[in-house]
Amino acid sequence: MPEDLAAPPSPLPQPGLRETKKQETRQLISDHATRLFIAQGFERTTIAEIAHAARVAKKTVTNYFPRKEDLALDRQGAFTASLAAAVRDRAAGESALAALRRAFAEAATAAEPVAGFSPPAFSRMVAGSPTLSSRVRDLHDLREAALAQELARATGADEGDLAPRTAAALLGAVHRVLFQYVQQLTLAGRGRAEITAAALAEADAAFTMLEPSLGGYAVA
């Protein structure tokens, strides 16, 4: 059938009213929690205060966010999956290192949270909370573990093979250090354009250091 006569693609199914309402409620709770955390500090803010501000029951808050940290760091799933996703979706002929190098450059250029970008007030809130700082370190560990699993799958490594874990540790460390660097510059009051330029330059140097050992690893 000629392309201009083909039927238009079916529209993607839209979420129902109930699902839309749940998403709105979740976002409402998250927004109020973030506002209170920034104003009062994470440790000093209670679930009861968040529930009161959002005009929902305490149980509603915990149903959406089982842990208090989840209220502040509500993009954990996307963060921990990001490196593995970059490797999984790499182009033909592209190595894991090249894919991750490109993914960071794209995230930094777009000033995305996955690369460490966040408003200064939010960065100060996280840095000032031992609980959240510890949770961010845990998320980096989880992201590295997910990357190791994807590298093992991509290379067909046997169970117990340390090569994927070693590669993930090296590649994950670069992303961890760059994330921390972006946060450091944010807390120092640097502008977003300056932070992006500095992060891209440091990323180029860091990934280049790994080229001799990982440049040909896990090529699609």
Side-chain angles (χ1 to χ4, degrees):
M1 178 181 296
E3 184 175 340
D4 58 340
L5 297 180
S10 300
L12 294 174
Q14 298 299 310
L17 181 60
R18 182 177 180 182
E19 184 60 31
T20 299
K21 180 63 175 176
K22 287 172 62 177
Q23 292 173 359
E24 290 174 349
T25 300
R26 188 182 194 281
Q27 189 62 54
L28 177 69
I29 294 169
S30 176
D31 290 346
H32 280 290
T34 299
R35 177 179 59 80
L36 289 171
F37 290 152
I38 290 174
Q40 303 177 174
F42 177 80
E43 268 75 17
R44 290 191 296 272
T45 301
T46 67
I47 297 297
E49 289 175 316
I50 295 168
H52 178 75
R55 297 186 176 182
V56 298
K58 283 177 61 176
K59 186 170 180 56
T60 300
V61 175
T62 56
N63 281 343
Y64 282 99
F65 302 93
R67 298 189 304 179
K68 187 179 173 184
E69 299 95 307
D70 298 339
L71 284 156
L73 306 171
D74 61 349
R75 300 181 182 180
Q76 298 179 37
F79 180 83
T80 57
S82 60
L83 301 187
V87 171
R88 184 186 65 243
D89 299 336
R90 68 198 186 286
E94 190 173 40
S95 69
L97 187 152
L100 291 170
R101 186 175 199 159
R102 176 173 52 79
F104 180 83
E106 291 172 352
T109 300
E112 295 178 357
V114 72
F117 288 82
S118 59
F122 186 87
S123 296
R124 286 193 294 271
M125 181 266 291
V126 174
S129 167
T131 302
L132 291 179
S133 296
S134 176
R135 181 56 182 163
V136 169
R137 290 192 292 272
D138 290 342
L139 293 175
H140 280 291
D141 290 342
L142 291 170
R143 184 164 73 158
E144 181 183 307
L147 174 59
Q149 290 180 350
E150 179 58 32
L151 290 173
R153 187 202 64 78
T155 60
D158 293 331
E159 185 177 354
D161 189 340
L162 293 184
R165 290 161 56 186
T166 302
L170 293 170
L171 294 165
V174 170
H175 282 269
R176 187 188 302 243
V177 169
L178 291 171
F179 183 100
Q180 293 167 345
Y181 181 57
V182 169
Q183 286 286 291
Q184 174 188 335
L185 295 180
T186 300
L187 292 171
R190 305 292 181 84
R192 179 160 290 183
E194 182 182 358
I195 296 173
T196 295
L200 289 173
E202 293 294 343
D204 188 60
F207 285 113
T208 296
M209 289 176 63
L210 296 183
E211 280 288 350
S213 57
L214 293 176
Y217 181 72
V219 176

